[in-house]
């Protein structure tokens, strides 16, 4: 079950996510096995709970990363392009980069410059070549606006809760494409938007969650002083 999948090693953690039926897709399992969380979260690396990154940010719990990757898997096939909004530690961007392979591209965006720098260093610990050849590019910016320069994207993942779904993110999806985004203030829901080949949007509610807000730097700073 969610929150109960902690392990002593990365492999044990991922096995527990499989046994709890949180992840079942072979490509998701392989990606999460190949990216060791210790490079992104040095303390309590294999705990199935969010851990602080400083700056009012957290690395999300492994079960939430698992749900996101399972949901986005059809849009993370080799050669595809994805945007990871609120990329934080860089862990999820790295799993996505493993899935899209060297012909694909992941763009991570975070508005805290220290996190942008540390997430690049985190990726470099095991996959320096991904940064060198821009299989992962992590940029500083306001993710509420997406990152139009690199769009459109096969999928967009948002790792922080928006008060409402930003239109810019929907506009930067390919047709077909998928957006995975937590929305809400006190009560939050993961929404999944599918854009079909003709550009029509369909919205689905996935589950209730509790994420840090997708907000301004000033507002986020008020959480950590
Ligand atoms: C839950 S945390 C990190 C999640 C990341 N997926 C991980 O597991 O490491 C959410 C992130 O969203 C970032 N964030 C919040 N508002 C943002 C905005 N407007 N633009 C870009 N990043 C934002 C925070 O700085 C934080 O790193």
């Amino acid at each position: 079950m969610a929150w109960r999948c902690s392990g002593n090693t990365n492999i044990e953690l991922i096995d527990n996510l499989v046994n709890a039926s949180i992840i079942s897709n072979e490509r998701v399992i392989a990606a999460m096995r190949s990216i060791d969380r210790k490079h992104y979260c040095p303390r309590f690396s294999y705990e199935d709970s969010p851990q602080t990154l400083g700056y009012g940010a957290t690395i999300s719990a492994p079960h939430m990363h698992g749900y996101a990757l399972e949901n986005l898997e059809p849009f993370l096939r080799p050669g595809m392009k994805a945007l990871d909004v609120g990329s934080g530690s860089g862990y999820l961007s790295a799993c996505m980069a493993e899935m899209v392979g060297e012909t694909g591209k992941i763009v991570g965006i975070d508005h805290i410059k220290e996190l942008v720098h540390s997430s690049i260093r985190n990726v470099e610990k095991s996959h320096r070549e991904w940064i060198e050849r821009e299989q992962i590019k992590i940029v500083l910016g306001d993710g509420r606006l997406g990152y139009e320069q690199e769009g459109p994207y096969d999928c967009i993942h948002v790792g922080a809760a928006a008060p409402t779904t930003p239109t810019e993110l929907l506009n930067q999806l390919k047709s077909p494409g998928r957006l995975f985004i937590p929305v809400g203030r006190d009560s939050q829901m993961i929404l999944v938007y599918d854009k079909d080949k003709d550009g029509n949007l369909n919205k689905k509610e996935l589950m209730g969650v509790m994420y840090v807000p997708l907000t301004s730097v000033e507002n986020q700073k008020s959480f950590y002083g």
Side-chain angles (χ1 to χ4, degrees):
M1 293 297 294
W3 303 98
R4 297 187 197 151
C5 296
S6 304
N8 291 312
T9 63
N10 198 61
I11 294 294
E12 201 174 294
L13 167 67
I14 307 312
D15 284 349
N16 291 342
L17 293 172
V18 173
N19 293 336
S21 302
I22 289 166
I23 55 174
S24 58
N25 181 280
E26 286 305 325
R27 288 181 352 97
V28 171
I29 296 168
M32 292 186 80
R33 281 205 174 119
S34 74
I35 305 298
D36 195 325
R37 282 180 78 89
K38 75 177 181 199
H39 296 314
Y40 299 83
C41 175
R43 296 185 69 237
F44 307 112
S45 313
Y46 310 120
E47 286 295 306
D48 190 18
S49 56
Q51 302 295 331
T52 181
L53 296 172
Y55 315 102
T58 56
I59 176 170
S60 302
H63 67 267
M64 281 313 308
H65 286 143
Y67 282 130
L69 292 172
E70 279 282 321
N71 208 275
L72 294 173
E73 187 278 333
F75 299 87
L76 290 171
R77 299 270 162 88
M80 288 186 165
K81 192 177 208 183
L83 178 66
D84 184 19
V85 174
S87 44
S89 66
Y91 171 80
L92 194 74
S93 300
C95 291
M96 293 166 119
E98 173 69 26
M99 291 172 73
V100 299
E102 58 184 286
T103 55
K105 183 166 188 172
I106 305 302
V107 180
I109 183 166
D110 206 285
H111 64 169
I112 304 291
K113 73 172 183 311
E114 289 85 349
L115 290 178
V116 170
H117 294 149
S118 60
S119 60
I120 292 170
R121 284 198 303 273
N122 291 342
V123 175
E124 285 176 339
K125 286 177 202 164
S126 58
H127 291 87
R128 175 174 289 276
E129 72 286 2
W130 285 357
I131 298 291
E132 286 168 355
R133 64 174 180 238
E134 291 202 343
Q135 188 168 333
I136 298 189
K137 173 176 171 178
I138 302 181
V139 299
L140 181 67
D142 186 345
R144 294 173 291 188
L145 304 175
Y147 193 69
E148 203 173 10
Q149 296 92 311
E150 288 279 358
Y153 303 96
D154 293 283
C155 67
I156 301 178
H157 168 267
V158 184
T164 57
T165 306
T167 312
E168 288 82 354
L169 298 184
L170 293 168
N171 290 344
Q172 289 171 33
L173 277 182
K174 285 186 188 172
S175 302
R178 181 171 288 179
L179 169 64
F180 179 104
I181 180 169
V183 174
R185 292 178 199 270
D186 297 334
S187 151
Q188 304 171 2
M189 183 70 74
I190 296 280
L191 301 182
V192 176
Y193 290 86
D194 274 325
K195 194 185 265 191
D196 71 16
K197 63 177 180 22
D198 301 315
N200 302 310
L201 281 169
N202 175 56
K203 181 176 87 174
K204 190 171 78 184
E205 293 186 347
L206 202 63
M207 65 181 125
V209 285
M210 186 52 74
Y211 275 71
V212 299
L214 186 73
T215 187
S216 64
V217 176
E218 295 68 36
N219 193 38
Q220 189 167 321
K221 278 186 175 166
S222 69
F223 292 117
Y224 65 90

